[in-house]
Amino acid sequence: MTYKDCGSHSHSRRKLIRRIIWSIIIFLFIIFLTILLIWAILQPSKPVFVLQDATVYAFNVSGNPPNLLSSNFQITLSSRNPNYNIGVYYDRLEVYAIYQNQQITYRTSIPPTYQGHKEVNIWSPFVYGTSVPIAPFNGVSLDGDQESGVIRLDIRADGRVRWKVGAFITGKYHLYVRCQALINFGNKAAGVIVGNNAVKYTYAQYCSVSV
């Protein structure tokens, strides 16, 4: 074999490798473009969350000045997937309570789950905190709210979700859920007594959702 033949063979081999590489790139680009088109056509909507109710088992401020809060709630939170062709994986979801922008309970984890098309999931986790330190100005505000009989809380859920379109599953997205809960201690008719010192408040109100 002459030097010219070897050079020609090497050139053909490089040309074949380039063709294979470009074929792979074009193939991956077509797949990526197809996924984007499907995603744009389906237009996925955020899950719809509703705070159904909250049962208050304990809510006590202690200390002098009042700076320690012990509380225990059971909340009912529902989530509906409004999409016809897209499923939702809830990889992580943690629920907790906020008063005046301060977290007053520990985070309660909801087990990971998959939500199919148009499906509804209902969770009833307990959220609680024992002798949780609160800021001095929040302690004064909370003491005043208890005297007036009305306390406004935020029930929040933070987590990670993934979307499922056919066989394709997206990466993880951060989910933020915010629900307002009005605890009316001053009006016995606002809730239903369900046990010793336990009062159930019904809301059935929509929450704000960000993804």
Side-chain angles (χ1 to χ4, degrees), residues 17 23 37 40-41 43 49 54 69 72-73 79 86 94 105 111 120 134 138 166 171 180 196:
I17 292 174
S23 297
L37 288 174
I41 292 171
Q43 294 181 344
F49 278 78
L69 175 62
N72 188 4
F73 309 90
S79 170
I86 300 175
E94 297 176 336
T105 67
V120 176
I134 55 178
N138 278 343
Q180 287 192 347
N196 293 332

Side-chain angles (χ1 to χ4, degrees), residues 48 52 78-81 115-123:
V48 178
Q52 301 289 355
S78 68
S79 170
R80 180 175 64 86
N81 178 6
Q115 189 175 59
H117 317 147
K118 308 297 288 186
E119 283 187 356
V120 176
N121 289 74
I122 299 177
W123 302 290

Side-chain angles (χ1 to χ4, degrees), residues 119-188:
E119 283 187 356
V120 176
N121 289 74
I122 299 177
W123 302 290
S124 296
F126 281 89
V127 290
Y128 65 94
T130 303
S131 298
V132 176
I134 55 178
F137 55 87
N138 278 343
V140 174
S141 176
L142 189 56
D143 193 43
D145 287 346
Q146 282 191 303
E147 288 184 5
S148 67
V150 179
I151 297 175
R152 186 180 299 275
L153 300 178
D154 284 337
I155 304 299
R156 300 190 180 184
D158 294 346
R160 297 283 184 176
V161 296
R162 291 176 295 159
W163 309 97
K164 184 176 184 295
V165 184
F168 172 71
I169 301 175
T170 69
K172 294 183 179 181
Y173 290 82
H174 206 143
L175 175 72
Y176 300 93
V177 181
R178 303 291 181 268
C179 314
Q180 287 192 347
L182 195 66
I183 310 298
N184 196 334
F185 291 107
N187 183 5
K188 297 294 184 182

